[in-house]
């Protein structure tokens, strides 16, 4: 008897990963210092929530800002979710892993590369802290990678057991 669709453990675990992602969008993710271009003095620290960082990263891609490359982890994560639902676990693992690498390296590049402070030409933003929202954002593809690894292993193990049974049946017939 086939299990009901709503109680599939793979979809429940995928839902946990998506929940981590949604929570990350609502938490403080990055802390920036606003630095005056002339005096190099720090005026104050600006804390961005995950959703704000996501929107800013998307817009930053149009202006060729290097740290905005970290935004590309979002479509990679969604693609990994799609592959997981299609039961293409190995590709899901690879996509989630690339999402983690791209998201982390793109975002931390803001430590060294100044970002514009909106439309102000008198100051710029420098990343100072990675906050819980950022780590939870990376945990979503990380968790997906772990559960996809488990399902890929289970699928492979079941295939090995089936092959062993088939080979025993062939040997028994001879």
């Amino acid at each position: 008897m086939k299990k009901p669709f709503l109680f599939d453990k793979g979809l429940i675990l995928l839902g946990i990963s998506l929940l981590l992602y949604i929570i990350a969008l609502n938490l403080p993710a990055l802390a920036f210092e606003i630095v005056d271009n002339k005096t190099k003095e720090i005026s104050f620290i600006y804390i961005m929530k995950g959703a704000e960082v996501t929107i800013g990263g998307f817009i930053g891609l149009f202006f060729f800002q290097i740290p905005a490359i970290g935004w590309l982890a979002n479509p990679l994560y969604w693609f990994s979710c799609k592959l997981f639902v299609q039961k293409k676990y190995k590709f899901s693992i690879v996509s989630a892993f690339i999402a983690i690498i791209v998201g982390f390296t793109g975002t931390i590049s803001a430590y060294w590369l100044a970002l514009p402070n909106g439309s102000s030409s008198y100051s710029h933003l420098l990343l100072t802290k990675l906050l819980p929202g950022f780590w939870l954002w990376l945990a979503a593809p990380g968790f997906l990678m772990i559960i996809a690894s488990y399902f890929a292993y289970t699928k492979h193990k079941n295939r090995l057991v089936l092959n062993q049974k088939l080979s025993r049946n062939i040997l028994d017939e001879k």
Side-chain angles (χ1 to χ4, degrees):
M1 180 173 191
K2 195 168 184 169
K3 292 183 211 174
F5 182 69
L6 292 174
F7 298 109
D8 183 19
K9 68 179 173 183
L11 291 179
I12 291 171
L13 293 171
L14 177 62
I16 292 170
S17 176
L18 292 169
L19 184 64
L20 291 173
Y21 182 84
I22 291 167
I23 292 170
L25 292 178
N26 294 303
L27 288 176
L30 301 175
F32 291 95
E33 289 180 344
I34 298 178
V35 181
D36 187 287
N37 287 340
K38 292 179 184 174
T39 63
K40 303 296 181 205
E41 288 183 19
I42 298 165
S43 27
F44 65 94
I45 294 179
Y46 179 66
I47 295 176
M48 286 184 151
K49 286 191 173 190
E52 208 175 347
V53 173
T54 302
I55 292 167
F58 180 70
I59 292 169
L61 286 174
F62 292 110
F63 294 100
F64 304 108
Q65 296 172 350
I66 302 288
I69 289 172
W71 178 86
L72 294 173
N74 292 301
L76 283 167
Y77 170 67
W78 288 103
F79 183 63
S80 182
C81 290
K82 177 183 180 262
L83 291 169
F84 182 83
V85 169
Q86 294 174 342
K87 298 184 191 251
K88 297 179 180 177
Y89 301 121
K90 290 179 184 175
F91 293 115
S92 179
I93 294 165
V94 171
S95 179
F97 182 71
I98 293 171
I100 293 168
I101 299 300
V102 168
F104 185 74
T105 56
T107 305
I108 65 163
S109 68
Y111 274 119
W112 302 282
L113 302 169
L115 295 170
N117 183 18
S119 60
S120 172
S121 60
Y122 302 110
S123 61
H124 61 271
L125 300 173
L126 280 177
L127 182 63
T128 58
K129 257 187 193 173
L130 303 172
L131 300 173
F134 172 77
W135 296 111
L136 214 53
W137 176 68
L138 284 182
F143 183 70
L144 182 61
M145 190 172 74
I146 290 168
I147 62 173
S149 298
Y150 167 75
F151 282 100
Y153 170 74
T154 304
K155 189 176 178 181
H156 180 71
K157 186 175 123 183
N158 290 341
R159 193 175 301 136
L160 286 176
V161 169
L162 183 61
N163 286 341
Q164 286 175 349
K165 286 180 182 179
L166 287 173
S167 62
R168 284 184 192 151
N169 288 343
I170 291 171
L171 290 173
D172 289 342
E173 290 177 2
K174 289 183 180 182

